[in-house]
Amino acid sequence: MIIPPYELRHKIHENPELSLEEYQTTELLEKTIKEAATFYNVDINVYKPLKTGLIVEYNGGSGEEYLLFRADIDALNIKEKTKVDFKSKNEYMHACGHDVHTAILYGFFLNVIKNKVNKNIVFLFQPAEESKGGAQRVIESGILDKYNIKAAFALHVNDEFPVGTIASTRGTLFASALEFFVDFEGVSSHLAFPHQSKNALNALRIFLDVLDKLPKNPMEPFVIGVGKVNAGSAINILPGNSHVEGSIRGVNSENNLKYFEDMRNVLSGIKIMTGVDYLLGKGSFYPEVTNDSLLYDKFIPKLSKTFTFIDCGLKMTGEDFGFISKKYPSLMCWLGSSKGEHHGLHNPEFLPPDEVIDVGIQVFETFLD
Amino acid sequence: MIIPPYELRHKIHENPELSLEEYQTTELLEKTIKEAATFYNVDINVYKPLKTGLIVEYNGGSGEEYLLFRADIDALNIKEKTKVDFKSKNEYMHACGHDVHTAILYGFFLNVIKNKVNKNIVFLFQPAEESKGGAQRVIESGILDKYNIKAAFALHVNDEFPVGTIASTRGTLFASALEFFVDFEGVSSHLAFPHQSKNALNALRIFLDVLDKLPKNPMEPFVIGVGKVNAGSAINILPGNSHVEGSIRGVNSENNLKYFEDMRNVLSGIKIMTGVDYLLGKGSFYPEVTNDSLLYDKFIPKLSKTFTFIDCGLKMTGEDFGFISKKYPSLMCWLGSSKGEHHGLHNPEFLPPDEVIDVGIQVFETFLD
């Protein structure tokens, strides 16, 4: 018996798993996909280059070229606040719609094998999109290198747009994001003797001030944001240690890396000025998601015939599909999921309706042309 | 049997107790003092206006006037690193020499009752100097109001000066210190959408910048110091909340309070600019310790005959003897305790030699003239 896509979505939604912990999700997918292939009497190859996630290889075409379709499968550390009957049974939540993405890719796979589509396709059920760089890990595993991938596609639900609306943009759709950490190490002193300190809070303040003042190209969307700051441990002791973390976001990952190197210069200068030493660390890095112009010009007009299309421009958020779009000509679209509500991604009430799955499958099928 | 001052010091040093927890220290003092009074057949009154600490009233004089001598009795949350045989047996330490102060006041008391000194004296064994405002609590208990206190005296050991050296200054000896806390409450946002935030870290940064720029009298020692800063909880979320704490120190408590009110104006301005709300809190407050000119001019020349005297000027640290010096003509001196070493107060190796107790007793006796 074949599980329908809606039912698969409900099962996954009920049992959300965090990045690189998607064991049960992977097991469910593998079992369901293999049963469907057996049912339709289609040969597929299933690979698991990482401990979670899987790659399904379908060889329906005559040539050497492959299309890659990707869904992310991980959930978030958010406690669900919806009242749906397939609500999460644990402390985590599919609050970013990856349950829907997974069901779309699964439903699309079912149609492909049922209709014996005349193409070679790699279905990538990717783990760890939210953190831990799943796409990068899949690429680094080398598994994709055996395919001559001509184009890669991905979708993301979004309740900023109504159901039936597709949004994307020419060029960069998601920003490149580069996390940074700085630990300052100075010398603490009693607050009464500031001249005996090498004040790590002051070094941190200078650092943030200089970051604000680094020259930036006004034509290029760019933001340096600070998420966390800590300094000192007692009210009457000037901090000998401080910590700051944040991320650099822009349309161009090379520029982000350049800014990261500029930070090193800023910190060297601060060390000379203040005597406060530093440790600059790099956290996770997502390249920008860039839509290939040829794919965009080929498919967006087609999509526009069936769906409402919105050119939504760039988002400053990140997506690890960027690793794939850096390597292969790619096209990614937002899939409208609102029936009137607008909670936003990562919100404990975010819940796309099941019917978005059908829209997603239809969009993926358009990309087969 | 009367316990000698050195032995009392060792017992107290072995069993240090934190501010307002000096139960065993108080019990030991009360027992020892009462036994000594019985031994010398002298009437004294012992009062305990707070749960810890005690006041010993000795009426040897004919008039109504009293002299007050004060020792602080509490220890610090510091793990002792000395190798002395009366080393602390718990996790705390007399790292600020209050064990020595207590032994000095006790030894002085013994001499007073042995010699039937012809003065009325209040011996104040004060709890909670390090924190929790012990001196203020004693004053607020009203116990001192029944005495016509003509002068108050206190000593503090210090290994910045050698044994046999006394240091003090005309005017202000310790700064006034006023602790402040600010909680900023704004609105967090994803780092990609800073325009949707009311950034509590930025409000905090503006606050610190403006504090640095408030006009200050260059002739008056003054410092605003920040001991702790916290902001945000996730690397990719702009902080909706932040916290800063520190203290204002200067020679004049009225000016400190004025600066505290200036902070309120700064914060109001920041709220208008940024939309970030704030809660400004006042922590512990120590008035400055000011030496009375008449007492200084009377006793310092006398001390200078027996000891090396150094005019050490003002320290920016605080001392809650300030509450007493605000109320009564007072004189406080540093008591040199170094035999060559210099660890500094609140250092886990700070350990004045026993002989400083004899010097302290001699200094207190000088103040009887």
Side-chain angles (χ1 to χ4, degrees), chain A residues 179 190-192 201 205 208-209 212 225-235 237-239 245-247 249 316-317, chain B residues 179 190-192 201 205 208-209 212 225-235 237-239 245-247 249 316-317:
Chain A
E179 292 177 352
H190 192 283
L191 207 133
L201 172 61
R205 288 172 59 196
L208 297 184
D209 287 349
D212 288 346
V226 171
K228 263 172 101 169
V229 162
N230 288 298
S233 56
I235 191 167
I237 305 292
L238 294 177
E245 53 189 73
S247 84
R249 283 155 190 268
M316 290 301 275
T317 44
Chain B
E179 292 178 353
H190 192 282
L191 207 133
L201 172 61
R205 289 173 58 197
L208 297 184
D209 288 348
D212 288 346
V226 171
K228 265 172 100 170
V229 161
N230 288 298
S233 55
I235 192 167
I237 304 293
L238 294 177
E245 53 190 74
S247 84
R249 283 156 190 267
M316 290 302 274
T317 44

Side-chain angles (χ1 to χ4, degrees), chain A residues 301-326:
Chain A
K302 286 189 185 176
L303 287 176
S304 303
K305 284 180 193 155
T306 319
F307 307 102
T308 306
F309 180 78
I310 292 176
D311 184 339
C312 59
L314 163 77
K315 289 261 181 218
M316 290 301 275
T317 44
E319 230 295 348
D320 84 343
F321 190 66
F323 286 102
I324 293 180
S325 89
K326 273 272 168 201

Side-chain angles (χ1 to χ4, degrees), chain A residues 156-176:
Chain A
H156 203 302
V157 290
N158 190 340
D159 68 359
E160 212 178 293
F161 310 109
V163 174
T165 292
I166 309 297
S168 190
T169 201
R170 234 172 176 283
T172 304
L173 183 63
F174 286 92
S176 169

Side-chain angles (χ1 to χ4, degrees), chain A residues 125 145 152 218 220 325-326 356 358:
Chain A
F125 293 90
D145 295 342
E220 195 175 273
S325 89
K326 273 272 168 201
V356 179
D358 301 318

Side-chain angles (χ1 to χ4, degrees), chain A residues 119-260:
Chain A
K119 298 270 182 185
N120 300 321
I121 301 175
V122 171
F123 300 86
L124 168 57
F125 293 90
Q126 180 211 303
E129 191 279 328
E130 296 293 354
S131 68
K132 304 183 183 169
Q136 188 174 19
R137 286 168 190 261
V138 170
I139 286 171
E140 284 173 357
S141 78
I143 181 91
L144 298 180
D145 295 342
K146 63 178 187 171
Y147 305 111
N148 175 14
I149 295 171
K150 196 180 126 195
F153 302 97
L155 299 173
H156 203 302
V157 290
N158 190 340
D159 68 359
E160 212 178 293
F161 310 109
V163 174
T165 292
I166 309 297
S168 190
T169 201
R170 234 172 176 283
T172 304
L173 183 63
F174 286 92
S176 169
L178 171 59
E179 292 177 352
F180 66 89
F181 305 85
V182 188
D183 282 299
F184 290 95
E185 190 173 336
V187 175
S188 63
S189 81
H190 192 283
L191 207 133
F193 312 115
H195 52 296
Q196 293 173 6
S197 74
K198 294 180 181 174
N199 190 320
L201 172 61
N202 283 354
L204 186 152
R205 288 172 59 196
I206 297 168
F207 177 65
L208 297 184
D209 287 349
V210 178
L211 289 194
D212 288 346
K213 284 159 189 141
L214 286 180
K216 288 153 199 104
N217 178 352
M219 297 305 290
E220 195 175 273
F222 182 82
V223 65
I224 296 186
V226 171
K228 263 172 101 169
V229 162
N230 288 298
S233 56
I235 191 167
N236 62 342
I237 305 292
L238 294 177
N241 289 279
S242 63
H243 175 83
V244 53
E245 53 189 73
S247 84
I248 306 168
R249 283 155 190 268
V251 289
N252 181 307
S253 46
E254 286 70 27
N255 273 5
N256 289 0
L257 288 163
K258 188 188 159 301
Y259 265 92
F260 185 82

Side-chain angles (χ1 to χ4, degrees), chain B residues 300-325:
Chain B
I300 297 305
K302 286 188 185 176
L303 287 176
S304 303
K305 284 180 193 156
T306 318
F307 307 102
T308 306
F309 179 78
I310 292 175
D311 184 339
C312 59
L314 164 78
K315 290 262 181 218
M316 290 302 274
T317 44
E319 231 296 347
D320 83 343
F321 190 66
F323 286 102
I324 293 182
S325 90

